């Protein structure tokens, strides 16, 4: 029995001399809520576009629900719904027309109307159904792209930065809806720059950096593997001279809040507090925080280099 919804095998992608993906190899299990994270230019969209058959890999193969994206492109395409990062959308149709056309592309006729109506309702587009696409705002176009990706009820639903530039209301609707689809058994693949979103929603997380896979694990395992925690101090006076022993532990220092990054085993809070007292650094409050996915992300990607 095939348990992978998406199986990515040794994918390389060259754009001229740029090696955008360098041997990406992993599976996304069926029914998983999967996060694909990475800084700008890591190769996330390239990988998603290869999954969708929109970009041809230089080497390697991808299977969607056990259908090879190249050899069985039609079956693979039917198994996948992708919300693209770019808001490219044909401006000559109304919202309803474009959904009906997309539905037809998947061989679905009038019988799909109740589902289209439901999508319009969930995404709060019902009163825009007969509006021309070019008259919609950016956030509304994004809603249409979400509806388009789901028109054929694909088992695998991929969202490439769906909440970039989206208002709070749509973000909430989108997460409730994807959570609902996930509960119904759909596999969800999400890329986002809002790491707390991935931390809240995703069960497994892959991190890409400069075309390479730098982490892939269950979220809990990934978080536990990271040996740091944060000590947050509200200073009484921000004009301080930090002892040299603490200088390489500064995570951030904004206004009167000093945040130190401490190793769980090597740094003892007692000694840190002693060092602060000797340096006459006074604070009104302190608390510790376990590492967040953002910390893990920064430590594993080049954004943290030089820290
Ligand atoms: N059509 C293309 N032609 C040439 N280079 C490209 C093309 N598409 C992407 N690239 C390059 O490939 C690399 C990966 O780009 P990609 O869009 O996959 O990154 P990403 O992880 O999705 O980034 P972002 O977070 O900014 O969306 C980048 O260096 C990008 O400039
Ligand atoms: Mg991208």
């Amino acid at each position: 029995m095939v348990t992978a919804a998406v199986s990515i095998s040794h994918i390389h992608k060259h754009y001229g001399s740029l090696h955008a993906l360098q041997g990406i190899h992993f599976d996304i299990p069926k029914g998983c809520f999967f996060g694909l994270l990475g800084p700008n230019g890591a190769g996330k969209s390239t990988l998603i576009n290869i999954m969708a058959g929109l970009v041809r890999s230089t080497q390697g193969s991808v299977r969607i629900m056990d259908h090879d994206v190249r050899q069985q492109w039609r079956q693979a395409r039917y198994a996948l719904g992708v919300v693209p990062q770019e808001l490219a959308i044909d401006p000559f149709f109304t919202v309803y027309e474009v959904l009906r056309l997309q539905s037809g592309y998947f061989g679905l006729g009038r019988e799909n109307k109740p589902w289209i109506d439901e999508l319009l309702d969930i995404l709060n587009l019902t009163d825009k159904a007969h509006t021309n696409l070019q008259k919609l705002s950016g956030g509304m176009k994004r809603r249409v792209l979400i509806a388009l990706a789901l028109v054929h009820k694909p088992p695998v639903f991929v969202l490439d930065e769906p909440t970039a530039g989206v208002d709070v209301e749509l973000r909430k609707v989108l997460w409730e809806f994807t959570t609902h689809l996930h509960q119904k058994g759909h596999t969800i693949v999400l890329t986002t720059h809002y790491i707390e979103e991935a931390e809240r929603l995703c069960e497994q997380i892959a991190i890409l950096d400069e075309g390479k896979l730098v982490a892939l694990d269950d979220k809990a395992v990934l978080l536990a593997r990271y040996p740091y925690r944060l000590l947050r101090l509200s200073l009484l006076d921000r004009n301080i001279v930090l002892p040299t022993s603490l200088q390489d532990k500064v995570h951030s220092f904004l206004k009167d809040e000093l945040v130190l990054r401490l190793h769980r085993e090597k740094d003892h809070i007692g000694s840190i507090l002693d060092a602060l007292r000797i340096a006459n650094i006074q604070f009104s409050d302190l608390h510790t925080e376990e590492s967040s996915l953002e910390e893990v992300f920064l430590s594993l990607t080049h954004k943290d280099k030089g820290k």
Side-chain angles (χ1 to χ4, degrees):
M1 203 180 88
V2 178
T3 53
V6 181
S7 187
I8 299 163
S9 302
H10 306 289
I11 286 287
H12 288 260
K13 177 66 191 175
H14 296 272
Y15 288 113
S17 61
L18 179 81
H19 206 158
L21 293 173
Q22 309 185 27
I24 303 298
H25 188 79
F26 64 89
D27 284 352
I28 299 175
K30 274 186 192 161
C32 184
F33 205 130
F34 191 90
L36 182 61
L37 305 181
N40 291 134
K44 306 176 298 292
S45 297
T46 302
L47 187 60
I48 286 173
N49 289 334
I50 290 172
M51 282 162 57
L54 298 171
V55 166
R56 226 180 145 84
S57 62
T58 311
Q59 210 181 302
S61 62
V62 174
R63 298 179 81 80
I64 312 286
M65 300 300 276
D66 210 24
H67 302 298
D68 186 280
V69 166
R70 276 199 214 159
Q71 323 294 342
Q72 301 160 289
W73 65 270
R74 187 179 283 272
Q75 291 95 321
R77 181 70 192 85
Y78 278 41
L80 194 71
V82 180
V83 183
Q85 183 170 7
E86 305 300 333
L87 287 176
I89 200 162
D90 199 327
F92 301 109
F93 298 101
T94 67
V95 173
Y96 190 77
E97 281 166 350
V98 83
L99 287 169
R100 199 168 44 85
L101 284 170
Q102 182 87 343
S103 201
Y105 171 81
F106 288 105
L108 300 163
R110 285 200 60 80
E111 76 281 8
N112 205 31
K113 188 174 183 302
W115 175 236
I116 293 180
D117 289 342
E118 196 178 328
L119 283 171
L120 290 173
D121 180 43
I122 292 166
L123 294 164
N124 218 344
L125 281 170
T126 305
D127 57 353
K128 301 281 175 202
H130 302 292
T131 301
N132 211 285
L133 289 170
Q134 66 188 351
K135 292 191 184 147
L136 297 183
S137 71
M140 286 169 189
K141 282 187 190 136
R142 178 126 354 240
R143 288 169 200 241
V144 176
L145 287 174
I146 294 161
L148 278 171
L150 289 170
V151 85
H152 58 299
K153 294 190 182 165
V156 184
F157 183 36
V158 181
L159 303 114
D160 192 358
E161 302 281 347
T163 46
V166 149
D167 68 17
V168 180
E169 186 214 325
L170 176 57
R171 225 192 273 186
K172 192 163 170 287
V173 167
L174 193 54
W175 298 140
E176 282 170 5
F177 191 31
T178 41
T179 303
H180 170 71
L181 291 170
H182 175 232
Q183 282 161 356
K184 280 176 62 182
H186 292 254
T187 306
I188 315 283
V189 182
L190 166 71
T191 85
T192 177
H193 280 119
Y194 298 101
I195 298 182
E196 71 280 5
E197 238 168 43
E199 182 161 356
R200 194 153 41 86
L201 295 161
C202 298
E203 297 162 324
Q204 278 193 22
I205 293 188
I207 301 180
L208 288 186
D209 190 23
E210 297 178 349
K212 295 191 190 112
L213 187 67
V214 294
L216 170 65
D217 232 319
D218 287 348
K219 177 180 62 192
V221 174
L222 208 55
L223 288 173
R225 218 174 64 186
Y226 187 73
Y228 293 99
R229 57 183 168 165
L230 300 178
L231 175 65
R232 218 171 262 281
L233 298 155
S234 306
L235 300 179
L236 288 172
D237 180 358
R238 77 174 316 279
N239 296 311
I240 56 165
V241 180
L242 207 61
T244 41
S245 65
L246 297 185
Q247 282 172 5
D248 66 341
K249 302 191 197 305
V250 176
H251 171 272
S252 62
F253 189 9
L254 293 168
K255 291 197 175 166
D256 54 0
E257 189 184 65
L258 172 66
V259 183
L260 300 175
R261 188 168 70 152
L262 306 183
H263 194 281
R264 274 204 212 119
E265 273 124 44
K266 293 182 197 150
D267 295 317
H268 298 286
I269 296 213
S271 342
I272 303 285
L273 295 181
D274 284 346
L276 290 168
R277 194 168 46 243
I278 291 163
N280 203 22
I281 296 171
Q282 296 181 325
F283 45 86
S284 57
D285 196 10
L286 89 167
H287 66 271
T288 57
E289 271 169 29
E290 287 311 307
S291 54
S292 65
L293 188 58
E294 182 159 5
E295 287 293 301
V296 180
F297 177 84
L298 292 174
S299 80
L300 290 170
T301 60
H302 67 281
K303 282 191 174 174
D304 198 37
K305 278 176 194 158
K307 241 193 180 182

